[in-house]
Amino acid sequence: MIFCILMKLIISPSIRAKLSEKDPPVTESEIVECFANRTGKDLLDIREEHLTDPPTRWFVAESNFGRNIKIMYISTLSGIVIKSAYDATNDVIRIYNKYRNQNS
């Protein structure tokens, strides 16, 4: 049985502008696709300069066209707040693959 929970995606105007400036741009549709296509668990960003409350989570997933994108977000009662999204480097993919299936 598959459960689907719909959460509101929140992208501030400043983050939306940064996403559009990426080369190539990261679209809201691609972010939604990555949430749907992700496997493994999300990781927490525990770097001191990136600590937030609630904690920033991140994952790497493919868009429907095979683009590997790193998605960073905060889960709130209002919805999923996107902090950033960009093409995942080989190093980011390696780190995600190493830790995505480990127990917390």
Side-chain angles (χ1 to χ4, degrees), residues 24-36:
V26 177
T27 67
E28 184 172 346
S29 296
E30 287 176 307
I31 292 171
V32 170
E33 291 168 7
C34 287
F35 270 97

Side-chain angles (χ1 to χ4, degrees), residues 16-94:
R16 196 172 293 278
K18 286 181 183 179
L19 296 176
S20 70
E21 294 168 359
K22 302 288 182 192
D23 186 23
V26 177
T27 67
E28 184 172 346
S29 296
E30 287 176 307
I31 292 171
V32 170
E33 291 168 7
C34 287
F35 270 97
N37 296 338
R38 66 186 162 167
T39 59
K41 69 176 187 170
D42 297 342
L43 302 180
L44 294 177
D45 190 343
I46 58 172
R47 297 173 294 171
E48 187 171 331
E49 68 272 19
H50 295 276
L51 289 179
T52 56
D53 185 22
T56 298
R57 298 181 175 278
W58 68 277
F59 64 92
V60 174
E62 284 189 5
S63 70
N64 290 351
F65 291 99
R67 182 178 178 190
N68 281 308
I69 301 174
K70 179 180 179 182
I71 309 288
M72 287 137 292
Y73 72 95
I74 297 173
S75 185
T76 69
L77 293 176
S78 301
I80 296 172
V81 179
I82 300 300
K83 290 189 65 182
S84 189
Y86 52 81
D87 286 318
T89 63
N90 288 336
D91 197 40
V92 166
I93 294 168
R94 179 190 57 75

